[in-house]
Structures are given as structure tokens and as C-alpha cells.
Amino acid sequence: EGYDLIIPKGTSLNFTNNSYLLSYSKIIAIGEKQRIITIKSSDGTGKGVIILSAKGKSKFDFVLFDNLLSKRSNYINSLGSLSAYNTKIFLKNVKFININSEDALNIVRSNFEISNLDFKNISGDAIDLDFSEGFIRDVKFKDIGNDAIDISKSKVNSENIKIVNCGDKGISVGEQSNYYVEGLNIDRAYIGIASKDKSSFIG
């Protein structure tokens, strides 16, 4: 707590033997198009990254998350391959592929900025937002096992969202959430859009 965790461009982190990264400080992971940062699990047991109650804004740019699970134990119950709790997070030019956790990206009680993300081959939800507020822009989803975007008790503005082949809901808005979208394309989903529990969907 109180430090900055800096991951330099071109870095590759390989989480094996059920390992994971838990940070109580903000994470600065800034790559480049030709020198991306890779966070993966070569043996398929790695639990990814958890940011917990960090001060300041974590930033991820040109980062790949590949073949990760979520962390569950008596002490840590994280749902995402990247999870942010009670903090601020910025993601741009980030890819999530081959994710086998309940959520690829899980954000809880946090402010977020998401742009130019790509989700492919996700077993559960791609983005799960709870008690959070922010915007999502220029995001693509393909081959999602559950929901592409699932929000609860959150306020979200979004632009240019493309969803292809979604096993459950393209966008699920629940528990008194407010969701606004401009530019939405859903191709093959069990349910395109679901708005429930006194939520508001405008698009």
C-alpha cells in the first residue's frame, strides 16, 4: 500500500501453479503497439490480477490477458482475471482472450474508463460492473459464454459496442442501474438486451 507498481513495456508475466498478483497499490502497466505487456498462464492455473482499495488510478494500455482464471479462497474471492475493488481504473488497448473465470473483467465500487478493448473466447461474463460508474467506448466482444456486459447498481455511458456470438445476454442491466449506449451492434445472442429491477436502458 502507498507505492506504485510499474510494469514496463514488453514485460511478460506468466502465472503458474495457481499464482496471482494482489496489489494494494495502483498498477501502471503501459505498453506499446510493438511491445505489449502480456499477463498469461501457460499451465492454465494462473489467477490473474487483483487491485484492492488502491489510492490513485491504475492504468493499463497495450496489455494482453491470456488463459487466466479467477481467484477464490477463504481470504480472497475475486471473480475476474482482472479485478478492481474500491479504486479507480483506466483501460485502453487491452485484450482478454481465452479467459476461464466467472468474469474476464470485474469492477466493484470503482470509477472506470474503458476504451478500445477486445474480448474473445470468454467462458463467463466479459465485463461485470457492480456499484461502479464510468464509460465504455469502442469495445468488441466475440464468443462470450455468458453476458458481454453485466451491470448492477451502476451508472454507465457507452459508445460503439459490437457483440458477436453471446451465450446469454448481450447487455444485462439490473438492480436500479442506469445504462446509456450510442452505437450498439449485437449479432447472435440468446437475449440481446435485458433491463430489470427498476433499471434504465437508453440507446
Side-chain angles (χ1 to χ4, degrees), residues 122-149:
I122 310 299
S123 65
D125 293 343
I127 299 178
D128 192 296
L129 307 168
D130 300 301
F131 303 94
S132 297
E133 184 172 353
F135 73 83
I136 303 171
R137 179 181 297 125
D138 300 325
V139 179
K140 297 178 181 178
F141 304 87
K142 186 175 181 181
D143 299 331
I144 309 301
N146 202 38
D147 300 338
I149 300 175

mmCIF file with all atom_site columns, all heavy atoms in Angstrom, residues 122-149:
data_model
loop_
_atom_site.group_PDB
_atom_site.id
_atom_site.type_symbol
_atom_site.label_atom_id
_atom_site.label_alt_id
_atom_site.label_comp_id
_atom_site.label_asym_id
_atom_site.label_entity_id
_atom_site.label_seq_id
_atom_site.pdbx_PDB_ins_code
_atom_site.Cartn_x
_atom_site.Cartn_y
_atom_site.Cartn_z
_atom_site.occupancy
_atom_site.B_iso_or_equiv
_atom_site.pdbx_formal_charge
_atom_site.auth_seq_id
_atom_site.auth_comp_id
_atom_site.auth_asym_id
_atom_site.auth_atom_id
_atom_site.pdbx_PDB_model_num
ATOM 1   N N   . ILE A 1 122 ? -14.409 -16.057 -24.115 1.00 0.00 ? 122 ILE A N   1
ATOM 2   C CA  . ILE A 1 122 ? -14.580 -15.843 -22.679 1.00 0.00 ? 122 ILE A CA  1
ATOM 3   C C   . ILE A 1 122 ? -15.638 -16.831 -22.181 1.00 0.00 ? 122 ILE A C   1
ATOM 4   O O   . ILE A 1 122 ? -16.751 -16.870 -22.699 1.00 0.00 ? 122 ILE A O   1
ATOM 5   C CB  . ILE A 1 122 ? -15.030 -14.401 -22.387 1.00 0.00 ? 122 ILE A CB  1
ATOM 6   C CG1 . ILE A 1 122 ? -14.123 -13.381 -23.100 1.00 0.00 ? 122 ILE A CG1 1
ATOM 7   C CG2 . ILE A 1 122 ? -15.098 -14.152 -20.892 1.00 0.00 ? 122 ILE A CG2 1
ATOM 8   C CD1 . ILE A 1 122 ? -12.687 -13.418 -22.701 1.00 0.00 ? 122 ILE A CD1 1
ATOM 9   N N   . SER A 1 123 ? -15.321 -17.609 -21.155 1.00 0.00 ? 123 SER A N   1
ATOM 10  C CA  . SER A 1 123 ? -16.253 -18.649 -20.715 1.00 0.00 ? 123 SER A CA  1
ATOM 11  C C   . SER A 1 123 ? -17.444 -18.086 -19.946 1.00 0.00 ? 123 SER A C   1
ATOM 12  O O   . SER A 1 123 ? -18.541 -18.630 -20.017 1.00 0.00 ? 123 SER A O   1
ATOM 13  C CB  . SER A 1 123 ? -15.522 -19.680 -19.839 1.00 0.00 ? 123 SER A CB  1
ATOM 14  O OG  . SER A 1 123 ? -15.063 -19.084 -18.642 1.00 0.00 ? 123 SER A OG  1
ATOM 15  N N   . GLY A 1 124 ? -17.252 -16.997 -19.178 1.00 0.00 ? 124 GLY A N   1
ATOM 16  C CA  . GLY A 1 124 ? -18.321 -16.399 -18.387 1.00 0.00 ? 124 GLY A CA  1
ATOM 17  C C   . GLY A 1 124 ? -18.735 -15.049 -18.925 1.00 0.00 ? 124 GLY A C   1
ATOM 18  O O   . GLY A 1 124 ? -18.927 -14.869 -20.127 1.00 0.00 ? 124 GLY A O   1
ATOM 19  N N   . ASP A 1 125 ? -18.897 -14.063 -18.022 1.00 0.00 ? 125 ASP A N   1
ATOM 20  C CA  . ASP A 1 125 ? -19.159 -12.687 -18.438 1.00 0.00 ? 125 ASP A CA  1
ATOM 21  C C   . ASP A 1 125 ? -17.862 -12.045 -18.924 1.00 0.00 ? 125 ASP A C   1
ATOM 22  O O   . ASP A 1 125 ? -16.782 -12.318 -18.387 1.00 0.00 ? 125 ASP A O   1
ATOM 23  C CB  . ASP A 1 125 ? -19.710 -11.855 -17.284 1.00 0.00 ? 125 ASP A CB  1
ATOM 24  C CG  . ASP A 1 125 ? -21.093 -12.306 -16.836 1.00 0.00 ? 125 ASP A CG  1
ATOM 25  O OD1 . ASP A 1 125 ? -21.757 -13.028 -17.595 1.00 0.00 ? 125 ASP A OD1 1
ATOM 26  O OD2 . ASP A 1 125 ? -21.498 -11.911 -15.720 1.00 0.00 ? 125 ASP A OD2 1
ATOM 27  N N   . ALA A 1 126 ? -17.977 -11.161 -19.906 1.00 0.00 ? 126 ALA A N   1
ATOM 28  C CA  . ALA A 1 126 ? -16.785 -10.425 -20.338 1.00 0.00 ? 126 ALA A CA  1
ATOM 29  C C   . ALA A 1 126 ? -16.503 -9.265  -19.386 1.00 0.00 ? 126 ALA A C   1
ATOM 30  O O   . ALA A 1 126 ? -15.416 -9.143  -18.829 1.00 0.00 ? 126 ALA A O   1
ATOM 31  C CB  . ALA A 1 126 ? -16.953 -9.926  -21.765 1.00 0.00 ? 126 ALA A CB  1
ATOM 32  N N   . ILE A 1 127 ? -17.502 -8.375  -19.198 1.00 0.00 ? 127 ILE A N   1
ATOM 33  C CA  . ILE A 1 127 ? -17.371 -7.244  -18.275 1.00 0.00 ? 127 ILE A CA  1
ATOM 34  C C   . ILE A 1 127 ? -18.486 -7.326  -17.245 1.00 0.00 ? 127 ILE A C   1
ATOM 35  O O   . ILE A 1 127 ? -19.660 -7.400  -17.603 1.00 0.00 ? 127 ILE A O   1
ATOM 36  C CB  . ILE A 1 127 ? -17.447 -5.895  -19.005 1.00 0.00 ? 127 ILE A CB  1
ATOM 37  C CG1 . ILE A 1 127 ? -16.321 -5.752  -20.032 1.00 0.00 ? 127 ILE A CG1 1
ATOM 38  C CG2 . ILE A 1 127 ? -17.396 -4.744  -18.013 1.00 0.00 ? 127 ILE A CG2 1
ATOM 39  C CD1 . ILE A 1 127 ? -16.376 -4.454  -20.826 1.00 0.00 ? 127 ILE A CD1 1
ATOM 40  N N   . ASP A 1 128 ? -18.119 -7.307  -15.973 1.00 0.00 ? 128 ASP A N   1
ATOM 41  C CA  . ASP A 1 128 ? -19.093 -7.298  -14.886 1.00 0.00 ? 128 ASP A CA  1
ATOM 42  C C   . ASP A 1 128 ? -18.821 -6.087  -14.002 1.00 0.00 ? 128 ASP A C   1
ATOM 43  O O   . ASP A 1 128 ? -17.720 -5.931  -13.474 1.00 0.00 ? 128 ASP A O   1
ATOM 44  C CB  . ASP A 1 128 ? -18.990 -8.583  -14.067 1.00 0.00 ? 128 ASP A CB  1
ATOM 45  C CG  . ASP A 1 128 ? -20.159 -8.745  -13.113 1.00 0.00 ? 128 ASP A CG  1
ATOM 46  O OD1 . ASP A 1 128 ? -20.301 -7.906  -12.207 1.00 0.00 ? 128 ASP A OD1 1
ATOM 47  O OD2 . ASP A 1 128 ? -20.931 -9.705  -13.263 1.00 0.00 ? 128 ASP A OD2 1
ATOM 48  N N   . LEU A 1 129 ? -19.833 -5.225  -13.868 1.00 0.00 ? 129 LEU A N   1
ATOM 49  C CA  . LEU A 1 129 ? -19.695 -3.975  -13.123 1.00 0.00 ? 129 LEU A CA  1
ATOM 50  C C   . LEU A 1 129 ? -20.710 -3.943  -11.996 1.00 0.00 ? 129 LEU A C   1
ATOM 51  O O   . LEU A 1 129 ? -21.904 -4.105  -12.223 1.00 0.00 ? 129 LEU A O   1
ATOM 52  C CB  . LEU A 1 129 ? -19.918 -2.774  -14.052 1.00 0.00 ? 129 LEU A CB  1
ATOM 53  C CG  . LEU A 1 129 ? -19.067 -2.731  -15.326 1.00 0.00 ? 129 LEU A CG  1
ATOM 54  C CD1 . LEU A 1 129 ? -19.591 -1.664  -16.276 1.00 0.00 ? 129 LEU A CD1 1
ATOM 55  C CD2 . LEU A 1 129 ? -17.610 -2.461  -14.986 1.00 0.00 ? 129 LEU A CD2 1
ATOM 56  N N   . ASP A 1 130 ? -20.240 -3.701  -10.779 1.00 0.00 ? 130 ASP A N   1
ATOM 57  C CA  . ASP A 1 130 ? -21.120 -3.633  -9.612  1.00 0.00 ? 130 ASP A CA  1
ATOM 58  C C   . ASP A 1 130 ? -20.813 -2.370  -8.808  1.00 0.00 ? 130 ASP A C   1
ATOM 59  O O   . ASP A 1 130 ? -19.644 -2.102  -8.492  1.00 0.00 ? 130 ASP A O   1
ATOM 60  C CB  . ASP A 1 130 ? -20.921 -4.860  -8.718  1.00 0.00 ? 130 ASP A CB  1
ATOM 61  C CG  . ASP A 1 130 ? -21.220 -6.166  -9.431  1.00 0.00 ? 130 ASP A CG  1
ATOM 62  O OD1 . ASP A 1 130 ? -22.355 -6.324  -9.907  1.00 0.00 ? 130 ASP A OD1 1
ATOM 63  O OD2 . ASP A 1 130 ? -20.322 -7.014  -9.526  1.00 0.00 ? 130 ASP A OD2 1
ATOM 64  N N   . PHE A 1 131 ? -21.847 -1.606  -8.500  1.00 0.00 ? 131 PHE A N   1
ATOM 65  C CA  . PHE A 1 131 ? -21.703 -0.401  -7.673  1.00 0.00 ? 131 PHE A CA  1
ATOM 66  C C   . PHE A 1 131 ? -20.621 0.526   -8.233  1.00 0.00 ? 131 PHE A C   1
ATOM 67  O O   . PHE A 1 131 ? -19.851 1.120   -7.476  1.00 0.00 ? 131 PHE A O   1
ATOM 68  C CB  . PHE A 1 131 ? -21.362 -0.783  -6.218  1.00 0.00 ? 131 PHE A CB  1
ATOM 69  C CG  . PHE A 1 131 ? -22.350 -1.692  -5.562  1.00 0.00 ? 131 PHE A CG  1
ATOM 70  C CD1 . PHE A 1 131 ? -22.158 -3.061  -5.566  1.00 0.00 ? 131 PHE A CD1 1
ATOM 71  C CD2 . PHE A 1 131 ? -23.483 -1.178  -4.931  1.00 0.00 ? 131 PHE A CD2 1
ATOM 72  C CE1 . PHE A 1 131 ? -23.071 -3.911  -4.954  1.00 0.00 ? 131 PHE A CE1 1
ATOM 73  C CE2 . PHE A 1 131 ? -24.398 -2.023  -4.323  1.00 0.00 ? 131 PHE A CE2 1
ATOM 74  C CZ  . PHE A 1 131 ? -24.194 -3.388  -4.339  1.00 0.00 ? 131 PHE A CZ  1
ATOM 75  N N   . SER A 1 132 ? -20.557 0.654   -9.548  1.00 0.00 ? 132 SER A N   1
ATOM 76  C CA  . SER A 1 132 ? -19.477 1.404   -10.177 1.00 0.00 ? 132 SER A CA  1
ATOM 77  C C   . SER A 1 132 ? -20.025 2.437   -11.155 1.00 0.00 ? 132 SER A C   1
ATOM 78  O O   . SER A 1 132 ? -21.206 2.425   -11.506 1.00 0.00 ? 132 SER A O   1
ATOM 79  C CB  . SER A 1 132 ? -18.516 0.451   -10.891 1.00 0.00 ? 132 SER A CB  1
ATOM 80  O OG  . SER A 1 132 ? -17.886 -0.423  -9.977  1.00 0.00 ? 132 SER A OG  1
ATOM 81  N N   . GLU A 1 133 ? -19.144 3.325   -11.619 1.00 0.00 ? 133 GLU A N   1
ATOM 82  C CA  . GLU A 1 133 ? -19.556 4.389   -12.536 1.00 0.00 ? 133 GLU A CA  1
ATOM 83  C C   . GLU A 1 133 ? -18.430 4.700   -13.505 1.00 0.00 ? 133 GLU A C   1
ATOM 84  O O   . GLU A 1 133 ? -17.262 4.782   -13.105 1.00 0.00 ? 133 GLU A O   1
ATOM 85  C CB  . GLU A 1 133 ? -19.938 5.645   -11.753 1.00 0.00 ? 133 GLU A CB  1
ATOM 86  C CG  . GLU A 1 133 ? -20.470 6.776   -12.610 1.00 0.00 ? 133 GLU A CG  1
ATOM 87  C CD  . GLU A 1 133 ? -21.017 7.932   -11.798 1.00 0.00 ? 133 GLU A CD  1
ATOM 88  O OE1 . GLU A 1 133 ? -21.108 7.807   -10.560 1.00 0.00 ? 133 GLU A OE1 1
ATOM 89  O OE2 . GLU A 1 133 ? -21.344 8.970   -12.406 1.00 0.00 ? 133 GLU A OE2 1
ATOM 90  N N   . GLY A 1 134 ? -18.792 4.867   -14.805 1.00 0.00 ? 134 GLY A N   1
ATOM 91  C CA  . GLY A 1 134 ? -17.783 5.216   -15.782 1.00 0.00 ? 134 GLY A CA  1
ATOM 92  C C   . GLY A 1 134 ? -18.287 5.066   -17.194 1.00 0.00 ? 134 GLY A C   1
ATOM 93  O O   . GLY A 1 134 ? -19.492 5.028   -17.439 1.00 0.00 ? 134 GLY A O   1
ATOM 94  N N   . PHE A 1 135 ? -17.351 4.995   -18.171 1.00 0.00 ? 135 PHE A N   1
ATOM 95  C CA  . PHE A 1 135 ? -17.742 4.890   -19.573 1.00 0.00 ? 135 PHE A CA  1
ATOM 96  C C   . PHE A 1 135 ? -16.996 3.755   -20.256 1.00 0.00 ? 135 PHE A C   1
ATOM 97  O O   . PHE A 1 135 ? -15.885 3.376   -19.868 1.00 0.00 ? 135 PHE A O   1
ATOM 98  C CB  . PHE A 1 135 ? -17.535 6.209   -20.315 1.00 0.00 ? 135 PHE A CB  1
ATOM 99  C CG  . PHE A 1 135 ? -16.094 6.567   -20.599 1.00 0.00 ? 135 PHE A CG  1
ATOM 100 C CD1 . PHE A 1 135 ? -15.437 6.053   -21.700 1.00 0.00 ? 135 PHE A CD1 1
ATOM 101 C CD2 . PHE A 1 135 ? -15.400 7.441   -19.777 1.00 0.00 ? 135 PHE A CD2 1
ATOM 102 C CE1 . PHE A 1 135 ? -14.115 6.381   -21.986 1.00 0.00 ? 135 PHE A CE1 1
ATOM 103 C CE2 . PHE A 1 135 ? -14.082 7.776   -20.048 1.00 0.00 ? 135 PHE A CE2 1
ATOM 104 C CZ  . PHE A 1 135 ? -13.439 7.248   -21.148 1.00 0.00 ? 135 PHE A CZ  1
ATOM 105 N N   . ILE A 1 136 ? -17.646 3.229   -21.302 1.00 0.00 ? 136 ILE A N   1
ATOM 106 C CA  . ILE A 1 136 ? -17.094 2.164   -22.130 1.00 0.00 ? 136 ILE A CA  1
ATOM 107 C C   . ILE A 1 136 ? -17.191 2.624   -23.581 1.00 0.00 ? 136 ILE A C   1
ATOM 108 O O   . ILE A 1 136 ? -18.265 2.982   -24.037 1.00 0.00 ? 136 ILE A O   1
ATOM 109 C CB  . ILE A 1 136 ? -17.874 0.853   -21.953 1.00 0.00 ? 136 ILE A CB  1
ATOM 110 C CG1 . ILE A 1 136 ? -17.887 0.422   -20.486 1.00 0.00 ? 136 ILE A CG1 1
ATOM 111 C CG2 . ILE A 1 136 ? -17.303 -0.248  -22.827 1.00 0.00 ? 136 ILE A CG2 1
ATOM 112 C CD1 . ILE A 1 136 ? -18.820 -0.743  -20.208 1.00 0.00 ? 136 ILE A CD1 1
ATOM 113 N N   . ARG A 1 137 ? -16.080 2.590   -24.306 1.00 0.00 ? 137 ARG A N   1
ATOM 114 C CA  . ARG A 1 137 ? -16.076 3.101   -25.671 1.00 0.00 ? 137 ARG A CA  1
ATOM 115 C C   . ARG A 1 137 ? -15.237 2.189   -26.572 1.00 0.00 ? 137 ARG A C   1
ATOM 116 O O   . ARG A 1 137 ? -14.153 1.749   -26.204 1.00 0.00 ? 137 ARG A O   1
ATOM 117 C CB  . ARG A 1 137 ? -15.494 4.527   -25.696 1.00 0.00 ? 137 ARG A CB  1
ATOM 118 C CG  . ARG A 1 137 ? -15.422 5.162   -27.074 1.00 0.00 ? 137 ARG A CG  1
ATOM 119 C CD  . ARG A 1 137 ? -14.809 6.553   -27.028 1.00 0.00 ? 137 ARG A CD  1
ATOM 120 N NE  . ARG A 1 137 ? -15.618 7.462   -26.233 1.00 0.00 ? 137 ARG A NE  1
ATOM 121 C CZ  . ARG A 1 137 ? -15.155 8.165   -25.207 1.00 0.00 ? 137 ARG A CZ  1
ATOM 122 N NH1 . ARG A 1 137 ? -13.897 8.042   -24.827 1.00 0.00 ? 137 ARG A NH1 1
ATOM 123 N NH2 . ARG A 1 137 ? -15.956 8.974   -24.554 1.00 0.00 ? 137 ARG A NH2 1
ATOM 124 N N   . ASP A 1 138 ? -15.780 1.896   -27.774 1.00 0.00 ? 138 ASP A N   1
ATOM 125 C CA  . ASP A 1 138 ? -15.050 1.134   -28.790 1.00 0.00 ? 138 ASP A CA  1
ATOM 126 C C   . ASP A 1 138 ? -14.582 -0.225  -28.257 1.00 0.00 ? 138 ASP A C   1
ATOM 127 O O   . ASP A 1 138 ? -13.386 -0.510  -28.159 1.00 0.00 ? 138 ASP A O   1
ATOM 128 C CB  . ASP A 1 138 ? -13.839 1.934   -29.307 1.00 0.00 ? 138 ASP A CB  1
ATOM 129 C CG  . ASP A 1 138 ? -14.226 3.251   -29.934 1.00 0.00 ? 138 ASP A CG  1
ATOM 130 O OD1 . ASP A 1 138 ? -15.286 3.304   -30.567 1.00 0.00 ? 138 ASP A OD1 1
ATOM 131 O OD2 . ASP A 1 138 ? -13.470 4.224   -29.772 1.00 0.00 ? 138 ASP A OD2 1
ATOM 132 N N   . VAL A 1 139 ? -15.550 -1.071  -27.918 1.00 0.00 ? 139 VAL A N   1
ATOM 133 C CA  . VAL A 1 139 ? -15.235 -2.388  -27.358 1.00 0.00 ? 139 VAL A CA  1
ATOM 134 C C   . VAL A 1 139 ? -15.889 -3.477  -28.202 1.00 0.00 ? 139 VAL A C   1
ATOM 135 O O   . VAL A 1 139 ? -17.057 -3.363  -28.592 1.00 0.00 ? 139 VAL A O   1
ATOM 136 C CB  . VAL A 1 139 ? -15.693 -2.498  -25.892 1.00 0.00 ? 139 VAL A CB  1
ATOM 137 C CG1 . VAL A 1 139 ? -15.383 -3.881  -25.337 1.00 0.00 ? 139 VAL A CG1 1
ATOM 138 C CG2 . VAL A 1 139 ? -15.009 -1.426  -25.038 1.00 0.00 ? 139 VAL A CG2 1
ATOM 139 N N   . LYS A 1 140 ? -15.130 -4.542  -28.480 1.00 0.00 ? 140 LYS A N   1
ATOM 140 C CA  . LYS A 1 140 ? -15.617 -5.661  -29.274 1.00 0.00 ? 140 LYS A CA  1
ATOM 141 C C   . LYS A 1 140 ? -15.665 -6.922  -28.416 1.00 0.00 ? 140 LYS A C   1
ATOM 142 O O   . LYS A 1 140 ? -14.748 -7.180  -27.623 1.00 0.00 ? 140 LYS A O   1
ATOM 143 C CB  . LYS A 1 140 ? -14.704 -5.901  -30.480 1.00 0.00 ? 140 LYS A CB  1
ATOM 144 C CG  . LYS A 1 140 ? -14.649 -4.742  -31.464 1.00 0.00 ? 140 LYS A CG  1
ATOM 145 C CD  . LYS A 1 140 ? -13.677 -5.042  -32.598 1.00 0.00 ? 140 LYS A CD  1
ATOM 146 C CE  . LYS A 1 140 ? -13.585 -3.883  -33.577 1.00 0.00 ? 140 LYS A CE  1
ATOM 147 N NZ  . LYS A 1 140 ? -12.610 -4.153  -34.667 1.00 0.00 ? 140 LYS A NZ  1
ATOM 148 N N   . PHE A 1 141 ? -16.720 -7.705  -28.612 1.00 0.00 ? 141 PHE A N   1
ATOM 149 C CA  . PHE A 1 141 ? -16.897 -8.960  -27.904 1.00 0.00 ? 141 PHE A CA  1
ATOM 150 C C   . PHE A 1 141 ? -17.176 -10.062 -28.928 1.00 0.00 ? 141 PHE A C   1
ATOM 151 O O   . PHE A 1 141 ? -18.007 -9.893  -29.806 1.00 0.00 ? 141 PHE A O   1
ATOM 152 C CB  . PHE A 1 141 ? -18.078 -8.893  -26.942 1.00 0.00 ? 141 PHE A CB  1
ATOM 153 C CG  . PHE A 1 141 ? -18.017 -7.774  -25.933 1.00 0.00 ? 141 PHE A CG  1
ATOM 154 C CD1 . PHE A 1 141 ? -18.511 -6.510  -26.252 1.00 0.00 ? 141 PHE A CD1 1
ATOM 155 C CD2 . PHE A 1 141 ? -17.487 -7.975  -24.672 1.00 0.00 ? 141 PHE A CD2 1
ATOM 156 C CE1 . PHE A 1 141 ? -18.487 -5.480  -25.335 1.00 0.00 ? 141 PHE A CE1 1
ATOM 157 C CE2 . PHE A 1 141 ? -17.454 -6.957  -23.744 1.00 0.00 ? 141 PHE A CE2 1
ATOM 158 C CZ  . PHE A 1 141 ? -17.950 -5.701  -24.073 1.00 0.00 ? 141 PHE A CZ  1
ATOM 159 N N   . LYS A 1 142 ? -16.505 -11.201 -28.784 1.00 0.00 ? 142 LYS A N   1
ATOM 160 C CA  . LYS A 1 142 ? -16.767 -12.324 -29.676 1.00 0.00 ? 142 LYS A CA  1
ATOM 161 C C   . LYS A 1 142 ? -16.627 -13.637 -28.910 1.00 0.00 ? 142 LYS A C   1
ATOM 162 O O   . LYS A 1 142 ? -15.653 -13.837 -28.187 1.00 0.00 ? 142 LYS A O   1
ATOM 163 C CB  . LYS A 1 142 ? -15.802 -12.316 -30.868 1.00 0.00 ? 142 LYS A CB  1
ATOM 164 C CG  . LYS A 1 142 ? -16.119 -13.384 -31.902 1.00 0.00 ? 142 LYS A CG  1
ATOM 165 C CD  . LYS A 1 142 ? -15.210 -13.276 -33.123 1.00 0.00 ? 142 LYS A CD  1
ATOM 166 C CE  . LYS A 1 142 ? -15.582 -14.347 -34.155 1.00 0.00 ? 142 LYS A CE  1
ATOM 167 N NZ  . LYS A 1 142 ? -14.705 -14.281 -35.356 1.00 0.00 ? 142 LYS A NZ  1
ATOM 168 N N   . ASP A 1 143 ? -17.614 -14.508 -29.085 1.00 0.00 ? 143 ASP A N   1
ATOM 169 C CA  . ASP A 1 143 ? -17.618 -15.823 -28.453 1.00 0.00 ? 143 ASP A CA  1
ATOM 170 C C   . ASP A 1 143 ? -17.563 -15.699 -26.930 1.00 0.00 ? 143 ASP A C   1
ATOM 171 O O   . ASP A 1 143 ? -16.590 -16.100 -26.264 1.00 0.00 ? 143 ASP A O   1
ATOM 172 C CB  . ASP A 1 143 ? -16.449 -16.679 -28.960 1.00 0.00 ? 143 ASP A CB  1
ATOM 173 C CG  . ASP A 1 143 ? -16.521 -16.919 -30.460 1.00 0.00 ? 143 ASP A CG  1
ATOM 174 O OD1 . ASP A 1 143 ? -17.639 -16.937 -31.011 1.00 0.00 ? 143 ASP A OD1 1
ATOM 175 O OD2 . ASP A 1 143 ? -15.457 -17.074 -31.093 1.00 0.00 ? 143 ASP A OD2 1
ATOM 176 N N   . ILE A 1 144 ? -18.637 -15.143 -26.407 1.00 0.00 ? 144 ILE A N   1
ATOM 177 C CA  . ILE A 1 144 ? -18.765 -14.924 -24.964 1.00 0.00 ? 144 ILE A CA  1
ATOM 178 C C   . ILE A 1 144 ? -19.728 -15.971 -24.403 1.00 0.00 ? 144 ILE A C   1
ATOM 179 O O   . ILE A 1 144 ? -20.856 -16.103 -24.875 1.00 0.00 ? 144 ILE A O   1
ATOM 180 C CB  . ILE A 1 144 ? -19.290 -13.511 -24.665 1.00 0.00 ? 144 ILE A CB  1
ATOM 181 C CG1 . ILE A 1 144 ? -18.463 -12.445 -25.415 1.00 0.00 ? 144 ILE A CG1 1
ATOM 182 C CG2 . ILE A 1 144 ? -19.291 -13.252 -23.161 1.00 0.00 ? 144 ILE A CG2 1
ATOM 183 C CD1 . ILE A 1 144 ? -17.005 -12.437 -25.099 1.00 0.00 ? 144 ILE A CD1 1
ATOM 184 N N   . GLY A 1 145 ? -19.308 -16.703 -23.384 1.00 0.00 ? 145 GLY A N   1
ATOM 185 C CA  . GLY A 1 145 ? -20.126 -17.781 -22.859 1.00 0.00 ? 145 GLY A CA  1
ATOM 186 C C   . GLY A 1 145 ? -21.367 -17.318 -22.130 1.00 0.00 ? 145 GLY A C   1
ATOM 187 O O   . GLY A 1 145 ? -22.421 -17.957 -22.201 1.00 0.00 ? 145 GLY A O   1
ATOM 188 N N   . ASN A 1 146 ? -21.287 -16.203 -21.428 1.00 0.00 ? 146 ASN A N   1
ATOM 189 C CA  . ASN A 1 146 ? -22.427 -15.706 -20.663 1.00 0.00 ? 146 ASN A CA  1
ATOM 190 C C   . ASN A 1 146 ? -22.816 -14.311 -21.170 1.00 0.00 ? 146 ASN A C   1
ATOM 191 O O   . ASN A 1 146 ? -23.178 -14.155 -22.317 1.00 0.00 ? 146 ASN A O   1
ATOM 192 C CB  . ASN A 1 146 ? -22.096 -15.716 -19.172 1.00 0.00 ? 146 ASN A CB  1
ATOM 193 C CG  . ASN A 1 146 ? -23.324 -15.727 -18.296 1.00 0.00 ? 146 ASN A CG  1
ATOM 194 O OD1 . ASN A 1 146 ? -24.312 -16.376 -18.612 1.00 0.00 ? 146 ASN A OD1 1
ATOM 195 N ND2 . ASN A 1 146 ? -23.277 -15.018 -17.180 1.00 0.00 ? 146 ASN A ND2 1
ATOM 196 N N   . ASP A 1 147 ? -22.740 -13.276 -20.331 1.00 0.00 ? 147 ASP A N   1
ATOM 197 C CA  . ASP A 1 147 ? -23.100 -11.913 -20.736 1.00 0.00 ? 147 ASP A CA  1
ATOM 198 C C   . ASP A 1 147 ? -21.863 -11.172 -21.261 1.00 0.00 ? 147 ASP A C   1
ATOM 199 O O   . ASP A 1 147 ? -20.776 -11.303 -20.700 1.00 0.00 ? 147 ASP A O   1
ATOM 200 C CB  . ASP A 1 147 ? -23.672 -11.118 -19.562 1.00 0.00 ? 147 ASP A CB  1
ATOM 201 C CG  . ASP A 1 147 ? -24.926 -11.748 -18.982 1.00 0.00 ? 147 ASP A CG  1
ATOM 202 O OD1 . ASP A 1 147 ? -25.581 -12.520 -19.698 1.00 0.00 ? 147 ASP A OD1 1
ATOM 203 O OD2 . ASP A 1 147 ? -25.235 -11.466 -17.809 1.00 0.00 ? 147 ASP A OD2 1
ATOM 204 N N   . ALA A 1 148 ? -22.068 -10.342 -22.269 1.00 0.00 ? 148 ALA A N   1
ATOM 205 C CA  . ALA A 1 148 ? -20.966 -9.480  -22.714 1.00 0.00 ? 148 ALA A CA  1
ATOM 206 C C   . ALA A 1 148 ? -20.735 -8.358  -21.702 1.00 0.00 ? 148 ALA A C   1
ATOM 207 O O   . ALA A 1 148 ? -19.615 -8.131  -21.248 1.00 0.00 ? 148 ALA A O   1
ATOM 208 C CB  . ALA A 1 148 ? -21.249 -8.900  -24.094 1.00 0.00 ? 148 ALA A CB  1
ATOM 209 N N   . ILE A 1 149 ? -21.818 -7.654  -21.323 1.00 0.00 ? 149 ILE A N   1
ATOM 210 C CA  . ILE A 1 149 ? -21.741 -6.602  -20.306 1.00 0.00 ? 149 ILE A CA  1
ATOM 211 C C   . ILE A 1 149 ? -22.842 -6.848  -19.293 1.00 0.00 ? 149 ILE A C   1
ATOM 212 O O   . ILE A 1 149 ? -24.015 -6.915  -19.641 1.00 0.00 ? 149 ILE A O   1
ATOM 213 C CB  . ILE A 1 149 ? -21.895 -5.201  -20.923 1.00 0.00 ? 149 ILE A CB  1
ATOM 214 C CG1 . ILE A 1 149 ? -20.801 -4.930  -21.959 1.00 0.00 ? 149 ILE A CG1 1
ATOM 215 C CG2 . ILE A 1 149 ? -21.859 -4.137  -19.836 1.00 0.00 ? 149 ILE A CG2 1
ATOM 216 C CD1 . ILE A 1 149 ? -20.964 -3.602  -22.692 1.00 0.00 ? 149 ILE A CD1 1
#
